[in-house]
Amino acid sequence: MFRPIIINLFLIIPNFLVKLFFLKKTPRIRNQYFDIQSYLYINLIPKLNLYKISDTQIPYVRNLIEKGRSKYRLSAKPKNKVQINNFFISIGENKEILLREYIPNNVSKNRAILYFHGGGYVLNSVNIYDDTVSFFSDSLNTRIFSLDYSLSPESKFPEALNESKKALDWLYSKGYKSNEISFCGDSAGAHLAASLNYSLMEENKDTSHSQLLMYPMCDPSCSTESHSLYKDGFLLSHKDMKWFWNKLMFHQKDCENAKFNLLKTSKIKNYPKTLIVTAGFDPLCDEAEEFENIIKGQGAKVKRLHYPSLFHGFASLTRLKEPYIAVRDFLLEYKKLL
């Protein structure tokens, strides 16, 4: 009952006061301390242990998260009003998906961003990401279209990928050209963005103009050193990440598919300009770096921005001071790319 009040009060306390009164040192790994406000926030919020949840409980947990987000405003508000429009795209017999458009007060370019939310392909929605995407749209002065793709385990790989192609075709039908569209996503959404571009290459179609991949999930084996170092206690756990991949996977052979396992990416051509964001205290940081090296080694123009004191999911938690600074920083870089 009192947790939402405590957390909301905590979010408005100046960071210097947090540092002044919290004398205990935060975890230090790889010669880097975890951001103190982020550390306290993670220890304040309820812990879910997703890997223990059965398939029948997943809808309940999704609803619980949706209601929880309404109690806490975790993302900074945009400085200017952002208009929101909902569109519904037919993806088959008696089925539609939501594509939500965000129009900033000042649209600077004839450019659109196709956005894919995070949540391991199992959790979250366009609604949960409203504040985050509005903030991005206002900061970038760019229209963003956020896709409410189908979730697993009800919809296994590659259903979300197929839906992303439908969303892209819809943008084409509205007059956008491939060189006017950028893909953007965080975590599972970043995986979906990169997967969509690879699929377009396989089909000899034009890829997007660019892509922003925030702490992407890349490797279903979850075997890098960062998975061991940050296996628990930093919001995303190693066991939860394995659970996400298992819910998405249709068949074990998916792990050899470059659209599923991004570390299998090969023979790329006309790869879009890519900006990758990683966080130090994130189980996924090493696999994202490995993905960067793979595509860079094959000629892609890629830049990675690393925030060593932060954690997986920080881009949606911009009421925390250090995440806010980091997000402003990488959005400025993305704006140059657009």
Side-chain angles (χ1 to χ4, degrees):
M1 179 181 178
F2 295 106
R3 194 190 298 265
I5 297 171
I6 294 168
I7 291 175
N8 281 304
L9 284 173
F10 168 75
L11 290 170
I12 64 174
I13 298 172
N15 216 20
F16 76 90
L17 285 179
V18 175
K19 293 177 180 178
L20 183 64
F21 289 105
F22 188 76
L23 301 178
K24 181 184 175 184
K25 286 187 176 181
T26 58
R28 181 174 183 259
I29 303 174
R30 290 179 171 175
N31 295 315
Q32 178 62 50
Y33 285 103
F34 195 29
D35 171 56
I36 189 168
Q37 192 189 29
S38 300
Y39 177 73
L40 291 173
Y41 167 76
I42 286 173
N43 281 277
L44 277 173
I45 61 173
K47 191 172 181 180
L48 279 175
N49 290 324
L50 295 168
Y51 67 93
K52 296 181 179 179
I53 295 170
S54 68
D55 287 3
T56 56
Q57 293 173 310
I58 288 173
Y60 170 77
V61 172
R62 289 175 187 150
N63 189 50
L64 197 67
I65 292 171
E66 191 107 14
K67 287 181 178 178
R69 281 297 181 110
S70 67
K71 296 177 184 176
Y72 317 110
R73 184 175 62 81
L74 301 175
S75 181
K77 288 184 177 180
K79 291 182 179 178
N80 304 294
K81 185 178 179 181
V82 175
Q83 182 183 335
I84 293 176
N85 299 317
N86 288 332
F87 301 97
F88 293 90
I89 302 172
S90 174
I91 58 168
E93 197 172 323
N94 301 320
K95 187 174 182 182
E96 294 179 324
I97 48 172
L98 168 65
L99 188 66
R100 181 166 291 171
E101 179 186 26
Y102 298 78
I103 308 173
N105 189 48
N106 179 29
V107 181
S108 62
K109 292 182 180 180
N110 183 30
R111 191 82 75 207
I113 295 170
L114 182 55
Y115 190 90
F116 306 110
H117 68 76
Y121 281 99
V122 178
L123 307 173
N124 296 338
S125 66
V126 161
N127 292 331
I128 285 176
Y129 272 71
D130 258 340
D131 288 343
T132 299
V133 179
S134 292
F135 184 81
F136 279 25
S137 180
D138 181 54
S139 299
L140 296 166
N141 301 127
T142 305
R143 293 173 186 259
I144 298 180
F145 294 85
S146 184
L147 181 66
D148 208 28
Y149 56 87
S150 298
L151 300 175
S152 57
E154 299 93 333
S155 299
K156 297 280 190 176
F157 175 81
E159 190 158 341
L161 175 59
N162 293 334
E163 291 174 359
S164 72
K165 292 178 184 178
K166 294 278 189 181
L168 183 60
D169 286 341
W170 186 89
L171 287 176
Y172 291 154
S173 75
K174 299 302 176 184
Y176 288 103
K177 299 178 176 63
S178 59
N179 63 0
E180 298 171 333
I181 300 171
S182 182
F183 299 163
C184 178
D186 65 296
S187 192
H191 176 276
L192 184 52
S195 179
L196 175 56
N197 265 317
Y198 194 82
S199 183
L200 293 169
M201 281 188 289
E202 277 194 330
E203 297 167 12
N204 292 313
K205 294 179 179 178
D206 291 332
T207 57
S208 66
H209 166 271
S210 53
Q211 60 181 359
L212 168 59
L213 310 178
M214 293 172 276
Y215 32 84
M217 53 185 277
C218 302
D219 179 16
S221 76
C222 301
S223 58
T224 59
E225 183 183 58
S226 58
H227 267 279
S228 176
L229 291 174
Y230 313 112
K231 63 182 178 182
D232 199 17
F234 302 103
L235 199 63
L236 175 66
S237 74
H238 169 74
K239 288 181 179 179
D240 284 349
M241 196 64 241
K242 292 286 287 184
W243 182 82
F244 283 133
W245 280 112
N246 180 261
K247 298 305 171 192
L248 177 64
M249 185 187 300
F250 180 73
H251 193 281
Q252 188 62 39
K253 66 182 180 182
D254 291 337
C255 293
E256 299 304 313
N257 185 337
K259 297 187 291 291
F260 185 82
N261 182 351
L262 298 186
L263 300 191
K264 297 293 182 180
T265 297
S266 63
K267 299 178 182 178
I268 63 174
K269 54 186 177 180
N270 302 319
Y271 203 80
K273 294 176 287 184
T274 300
L275 180 63
I276 298 175
V277 170
T278 53
F281 288 79
D282 179 3
L284 306 189
C285 66
D286 286 1
E287 64 193 63
E289 184 177 4
E290 191 172 342
F291 175 66
E292 174 203 9
N293 292 332
I294 288 169
I295 60 173
K296 187 182 287 185
Q298 296 180 46
K301 292 182 179 178
V302 55
K303 181 174 183 177
R304 184 168 62 93
L305 298 177
H306 184 62
Y307 300 94
S309 68
L310 293 180
F311 57 99
H312 190 88
F314 75 83
S316 295
L317 297 165
T318 44
R319 285 189 70 196
L320 297 172
K321 310 306 181 293
E322 290 302 317
Y324 178 83
I325 292 168
V327 169
R328 295 294 296 177
D329 179 63
F330 74 66
L331 286 181
L332 281 173
E333 201 68 32
Y334 188 34
K335 198 170 185 177
K336 295 175 191 174
L337 201 61
L338 293 171

